[in-house]
Amino acid sequence: MRTFYGTALETPLMLGTAQYPSPAILAEAFKASQASVATVSLRREGSGGEGQAFWDMIRDLGVRVLPNTAGCHTVKEAVTTAHMARELFDTRWIKLEVIGQTDTLQPDVFELVEAARILTEDGFQVFPYCTEDLVVAERLLGAGCEVLMPWGAPIGTGLGLSNPYGLRTIRARFPDVAMVVDAGIGLPSHAAAAMEMGFDAVLLNTAVAKAGDPVQMARAMALAAEAGAAGHAADPMPPREMAEPSTPVIGQAFLS
């Protein structure tokens, strides 16, 4: 499995920590998912009380924490939030979100690249939430990012992979870059499809947290991500326009 800033993850699933019915269900869902990474928004944390209890529970999960800058709309806001997260969570990892469009939560790619440059120069290991645009990807890599997180679809929509061509293209254009499909995954089949394309992990939240049975859905996502990764590693057959018999006709008996 590809490494993320030198860290190899045990499983290709990253899971968010928001919107679960209860802390107990969140913990059970994480156990069922066997996720290697938990994403956490700084806005869910406080200096004590419920914030401290939440942080204690996340630490008890025994997974790597990826703080994010969710809700930030400017470079200054994202950079400030990242610095606070590094101090609180004691990690250089940061999932960088700079939102530019309210309805779709589409990243502001101009602000995103600038924030990524500032943070990498300050020693952060940046996981930028971006679109599947090749030019944006090149700019982020040039800014020092070693990981890309293109969206599958807008956050929380569950639409799946809305632009498979774009995702395949960005994966093929940068074969040596660690990539995570982030956002829009609603079904296990979406997670499997992303992994079959050759992505290194998937990150999701709402599909599990808002499911009727979050624990069962978490397990389904884990199995789907694993199956998709195994399918990609198996070098699947290319699609064909014409049928081809699976049983050869050479040597077949002819009856008269």
Side-chain angles (χ1 to χ4, degrees):
M1 182 175 292
R2 200 188 308 268
T3 61
F4 296 82
Y5 292 103
T7 298
L9 304 180
E10 295 181 356
T11 69
L13 185 61
M14 302 179 179
L15 194 57
T17 56
Q19 305 186 69
Y20 289 83
S22 71
I25 291 177
L26 185 158
E28 287 300 312
F30 261 86
K31 291 177 183 178
S33 74
Q34 299 181 330
S36 296
V37 174
T39 60
V40 181
S41 171
L42 187 66
R43 286 165 173 76
R44 293 180 57 82
E45 291 300 324
S47 59
E50 292 184 1
Q52 184 61 48
F54 177 80
W55 175 223
D56 290 342
M57 180 188 64
I58 296 299
R59 285 188 296 186
D60 289 342
L61 295 175
V63 300
R64 191 168 186 109
V65 174
L66 176 60
N68 66 47
T69 62
C72 294
H73 290 78
T74 66
V75 170
K76 182 178 180 180
E77 188 178 11
V79 170
T80 300
T81 301
H83 278 273
M84 294 171 63
R86 181 166 65 178
E87 180 177 349
L88 178 62
F89 298 110
D90 190 26
T91 178
R92 293 197 294 155
W93 279 18
I94 190 73
K95 178 188 170 187
L96 180 61
E97 297 183 30
V98 186
I99 301 303
Q101 214 286 328
T102 302
D103 292 333
T104 64
L105 299 180
Q106 180 168 330
D108 182 331
V109 296
F110 306 101
E111 298 277 290
L112 180 68
V113 171
E114 178 61 15
R117 182 191 62 79
I118 293 171
L119 291 173
T120 54
E121 289 179 354
D122 198 30
F124 283 88
Q125 295 174 331
V126 179
F127 292 66
Y129 167 63
C130 58
T131 61
E132 69 280 17
D133 187 285
L134 294 179
V135 177
V136 173
E138 289 180 340
R139 296 293 189 273
L140 288 168
L141 295 174
C145 297
E146 297 180 16
V147 175
L148 296 174
M149 303 184 78
W151 66 351
I155 295 171
T157 62
L159 292 172
L161 310 183
S162 58
N163 184 7
Y165 168 79
L167 290 171
R168 289 193 187 95
T169 302
I170 195 173
R171 176 69 281 180
R173 177 63 180 80
F174 305 103
D176 299 324
V177 176
M179 290 193 196
V180 183
V181 172
D182 176 18
I185 291 177
L187 296 171
S189 56
H190 300 156
M195 297 303 298
E196 286 172 357
M197 288 181 184
F199 285 90
D200 303 292
V202 291
L203 193 161
L204 54 102
N205 187 163
T206 309
V208 170
K210 291 296 188 179
D213 186 339
V215 177
Q216 182 70 7
M217 182 59 78
R219 179 58 179 154
M221 289 293 185
L223 293 170
E226 182 181 353
H232 176 74
D235 190 16
M237 62 172 284
R240 294 172 52 90
E241 293 293 334
M242 300 295 292
E244 180 180 1
S246 57
T247 301
V249 295
I250 298 176
Q252 182 176 351
F254 289 93
L255 301 179
S256 58

